[in-house]
Amino acid sequence: MAEIITKKRFGDILVEGGLINQTQLQQALNYSREREIKLGKSLLELGYVNDRAVAKTLAKQLDLPFADFKRIVVDPQIVPLIPETLARKFKLIAIGRRPGEVLVAFTDPLNIFAFDELRHHIHDKIVICVAMESGIVSAIETYYPAQDESLLAPGDKIENDESEAVNIINDILLRAAREEASDIHLEPGSEKVRIRIRVDGLLKHMRNFPMEMLPSLVSRIKIMSQLDIGERRKPQDGRFEIPISGREFDIRVSTLPLNNGEKVVLRLLDKSKVKIGLHDLGFEPEQQKIFENHLKQPHEIILVTGPTGSGKTTTLYAALNQINSVEKNIVTVEDPVEYELKGINQVQVNPKANLTFVSALRSILRQDPDVVMIGEIRDVETAEIAIQAALTGHLVLSTLHTNDASGAVARLIDMSIPPFLIASSVGLVLAQRLIRKLCSCRESFQPEDNVMLELGLDHNEKQFFFRPTGCPKCEFSGYRGRLAIYEVLTISTEIESLIMKKGSSHELYRQGRKEGMMSLRDSGLKKVISGITSLDEVLRITLNTMVS
């Protein structure tokens, strides 16, 4: 902080940024001395600059983040870290937290006295952001008078106006981000608007609003995602990016007309999670080793299967992060591009512009790729191009919607892909599910012998499992966070022979098991024995998968 101040002066920064010239700076300095006001205020009064331009120029020249209060969600629980008197004195406010860091918006980021006083109250690293004075003043008025009431309770009175809708949507986004929700559902009923969030794969109720609030809430979301406010009869899809309490989120929006009004679903994508590695996903060590070995192959197809919402894209992104290097040209074609991956070329499917999976893939193969990631194999044309790419020296990664690993081969055969092409191009198939992890409030118990026998586990040794209890930390669900379990099927010589004979999924599965493949349930049971999840959770998740 001190280094910035010794090297930069406010007026010089504005001149360097092209906001004012040297003559205007001198006039403003004279004006400020005559009236005993700050240089910034004199520049504003003289009409040389505006509040937003000053803030953005400061941010750019000092290489600091710019905080636009119209496009960020402030965390009210972070605001009290700074005493109100200090916030008003220096016109600054805490806006969010990251691990080991607190984000603070400054009107004047060059004020060393403000920074020094902050250090007495904030012991984590202070990340300075630059914001407009008007935005900070408005935020101080909004959050300090009602710190304890900033998140509305179910019985609160609500005024049906635009500013109230802005605050409510911000509060919903903030709560969802805090609970690490993947989706928000805004659902109109006959009398109330119900808000639900999906946490760890399960929907739960957040709160209700009067039905008269529906139009303003939906309009606010449509404005944020640049959708047509006047169109209420047709479904619409959009997106917007927004920082929530210091974390960057990409929000996907879908509207659907219902009898009582429009339902809106928001998918929350936390950009910080894109950096996840293979070791964070949930692979058993032997499974991860197999996967990593196949990622080193120069030409084959690796398929990841599972139902919607089972984490397939996250697995593929982690794989791409693993192999990404300056020596490789990696290209993806996705619908949609969920996260931006540094150093990787990503193509967004756009049917309106005639950019489909097929057309994009044909162009990609002329771009000298080493690795191609296809968001999903949906049809025979996409499958054929993927196979052709693998056979001509490319590593291809993609997903299929099948129940288990062996089912992926049957699905390709159903698409009329010749078995010999499948056998010669597909090298590895992963099936996966997401299981909920037990909260630290878990309790241990000893399962009955008959349970151990039924699961094929050794019942002679004393074995303890864990089960959920519930505490405020996990909202009394007993679970907090999720982890993947995997089934990894290597296309061996024997399995290739079965594919050539159009063997059934069960035959492929049995051969895989014979060769040491761990089933989804087996993978889950390892997590149970390790105390990561509960037996009930694994049985629930693997109910419709092959286990014998």
Side-chain angles (χ1 to χ4, degrees):
M1 179 71 185
E3 185 181 359
I4 291 176
I5 292 174
T6 55
K7 288 187 177 180
K8 300 275 187 178
R9 292 188 302 175
F10 180 63
D12 294 335
I13 287 171
L14 297 183
V15 172
E16 288 173 16
L19 208 59
I20 58 173
N21 57 40
Q22 200 66 47
T23 302
Q24 290 172 321
L25 173 59
Q26 192 57 53
Q27 290 173 343
L29 286 169
N30 296 336
Y31 187 88
S32 64
R33 279 194 292 267
E34 290 169 7
R35 289 159 178 77
E36 296 183 344
I37 59 176
K38 287 188 175 182
L39 175 60
K41 189 172 183 181
S42 69
L43 286 164
L44 290 168
E45 289 186 3
L46 288 169
Y48 291 159
V49 297
N50 61 54
D51 196 3
R52 184 180 184 85
V54 169
K56 292 200 78 171
T57 301
L58 272 173
K60 183 178 180 181
Q61 293 299 111
L62 297 175
D63 195 24
L64 296 172
F66 173 66
D68 185 347
F69 282 90
K70 291 182 179 180
R71 297 185 60 83
I72 66 172
V73 176
V74 176
D75 187 344
Q77 292 185 353
I78 304 300
V79 171
L81 289 176
I82 300 174
E84 184 176 352
T85 53
L86 185 61
R88 292 185 182 278
K89 177 182 177 182
F90 293 112
K91 291 186 175 58
L92 49 82
I93 188 169
I95 59 175
R97 186 194 290 278
R98 295 195 293 239
E101 299 178 338
V102 174
L103 283 71
V104 180
F106 281 69
T107 300
D108 181 5
L110 300 173
N111 191 329
I112 191 170
F113 303 107
F115 189 81
D116 286 344
E117 285 203 39
L118 273 186
R119 282 179 165 164
H120 295 297
H121 302 278
I122 298 176
H123 302 295
D124 287 332
K125 179 183 176 183
I126 298 170
V127 178
I128 298 174
C129 305
V130 185
M132 294 185 290
E133 181 175 333
S134 58
I136 290 179
V137 169
S138 176
I140 289 172
E141 296 302 327
T142 299
Y143 293 104
Y144 277 102
Q147 286 169 7
D148 296 330
E149 301 171 8
S150 57
L151 295 179
L152 299 173
D156 289 344
K157 184 178 179 182
I158 299 170
E159 297 295 330
N160 191 356
D161 60 32
E162 183 181 352
S163 62
E164 194 64 36
V166 170
N167 291 334
I168 289 172
I169 295 300
N170 283 354
D171 290 341
I172 291 170
L173 288 169
L174 182 59
R175 288 192 189 187
R178 278 184 191 155
E179 296 196 36
E180 298 192 355
S182 60
D183 302 89
I184 301 169
H185 290 240
L186 189 152
E187 303 166 313
S190 56
E191 297 178 355
K192 295 179 179 178
V193 179
R194 179 174 67 171
I195 307 296
R196 293 191 292 169
I197 58 175
R198 188 177 295 279
V199 179
D200 295 337
L202 300 177
L203 281 169
K204 71 175 192 176
H205 182 261
M206 177 187 278
R207 61 165 304 182
N208 295 326
F209 293 97
M211 269 300 286
E212 54 265 28
M213 281 297 301
L214 180 65
S216 59
L217 294 177
V218 174
S219 292
R220 172 57 185 164
I221 294 171
K222 285 184 174 180
I223 289 170
M224 296 173 78
S225 48
Q226 297 183 324
L227 297 179
D228 186 350
I229 297 176
E231 180 56 76
R232 299 185 179 92
R233 298 169 298 174
K234 296 179 181 178
Q236 296 187 67
D237 294 305
R239 58 171 288 193
F240 61 93
E241 295 180 0
I242 187 167
I244 304 176
S245 186
R247 291 153 60 195
E248 293 289 334
F249 281 84
D250 192 354
I251 313 290
R252 304 294 163 84
V253 179
S254 173
T255 70
L256 182 68
L258 303 180
N259 288 339
N260 298 313
E262 289 178 279
K263 172 173 178 172
V264 182
V265 175
L266 295 89
R267 167 66 55 90
L268 280 65
L269 300 171
D270 185 347
K271 291 187 175 183
S272 66
K273 293 183 178 178
V274 71
K275 297 176 183 177
I276 195 166
L278 289 180
H279 59 279
D280 300 313
L281 298 178
F283 283 103
E284 293 300 317
E286 55 269 43
Q287 293 177 327
Q288 184 171 331
K289 186 177 179 180
I290 293 169
F291 190 27
E292 288 177 342
N293 286 338
H294 278 267
L295 287 173
K296 295 173 185 175
Q297 298 300 313
H299 48 83
E300 68 174 32
I301 297 176
I302 297 176
L303 294 173
V304 181
T305 73
T308 301
S310 59
K312 298 187 297 295
T313 302
T314 300
T315 296
L316 288 181
Y317 279 175
L320 293 179
N321 282 332
Q322 175 91 358
I323 61 177
N324 189 14
S325 70
V326 70
E327 293 86 10
K328 286 189 176 75
N329 177 20
I330 302 176
V331 189
T332 76
V333 52
E334 306 169 64
D335 183 20
V337 172
E338 293 197 10
Y339 296 106
E340 290 183 8
L341 301 172
K342 189 175 181 180
I344 291 174
N345 308 286
Q346 295 172 269
V347 178
Q348 166 81 52
V349 167
N350 184 359
K352 291 180 181 177
N354 241 0
L355 185 61
T356 63
F357 274 109
V358 173
S359 62
L361 280 170
R362 284 177 178 149
S363 297
I364 285 169
L365 293 177
R366 294 192 289 270
Q367 290 278 312
D368 186 31
D370 297 292
V371 181
V372 178
M373 193 273 267
I374 306 167
E376 182 187 347
I377 293 178
R378 298 178 179 176
D379 52 51
V380 65
E381 280 188 284
T382 307
E384 286 173 344
I385 296 174
I387 289 170
Q388 190 61 34
L391 293 176
T392 54
H394 305 87
L395 176 62
V396 179
L397 291 81
S398 192
T399 70
L400 272 176
H401 284 285
T402 62
N403 212 31
D404 48 41
S406 57
V409 175
R411 176 72 187 278
L412 291 174
I413 291 174
D414 289 343
M415 287 182 178
S416 300
I417 303 296
F420 78 92
L421 287 179
I422 300 171
S424 56
S425 62
V426 178
L428 190 72
V429 185
L430 278 64
Q432 70 178 84
R433 297 289 188 279
L434 292 177
I435 56 169
R436 293 180 295 168
K437 296 191 293 184
L438 285 167
C439 179
S440 56
C441 63
R442 65 186 186 172
E443 66 176 15
S444 63
F445 73 100
Q446 192 170 2
E448 299 292 335
D449 286 351
N450 64 319
V451 173
M452 299 291 285
L453 275 169
E454 190 175 337
L455 295 172
L457 299 173
D458 189 348
H459 63 287
N460 294 318
E461 294 184 15
K462 194 173 183 181
Q463 177 72 60
F464 285 93
F465 288 172
F466 290 87
R467 58 192 170 201
T469 54
C471 68
K473 187 179 176 182
C474 61
E475 299 277 329
F476 298 96
S477 69
Y479 297 93
R480 188 173 176 85
R482 287 191 292 177
L483 198 67
I485 55 173
Y486 291 92
E487 182 177 274
V488 179
L489 177 66
T490 302
I491 307 301
S492 63
T493 303
E494 290 76 13
I495 290 179
E496 282 183 9
S497 298
L498 285 173
I499 293 172
M500 296 291 287
K501 297 172 187 175
K502 294 190 177 181
S504 68
S505 295
H506 282 83
E507 288 175 307
L508 294 173
Y509 176 81
R510 283 195 293 270
Q511 181 60 35
R513 293 285 280 160
K514 186 178 176 181
E515 295 174 8
M517 181 184 75
M518 197 182 301
S519 69
L520 282 165
R521 179 162 292 181
D522 286 344
S523 298
L525 289 175
K526 280 187 172 286
K527 300 292 190 290
V528 173
I529 293 168
S530 301
I532 294 171
T533 191
S534 70
L535 180 58
D536 287 345
E537 177 71 0
V538 169
L539 295 178
R540 178 181 73 86
I541 291 297
T542 62
L543 181 63
N544 297 318
T545 62
M546 284 190 268
V547 295
S548 59

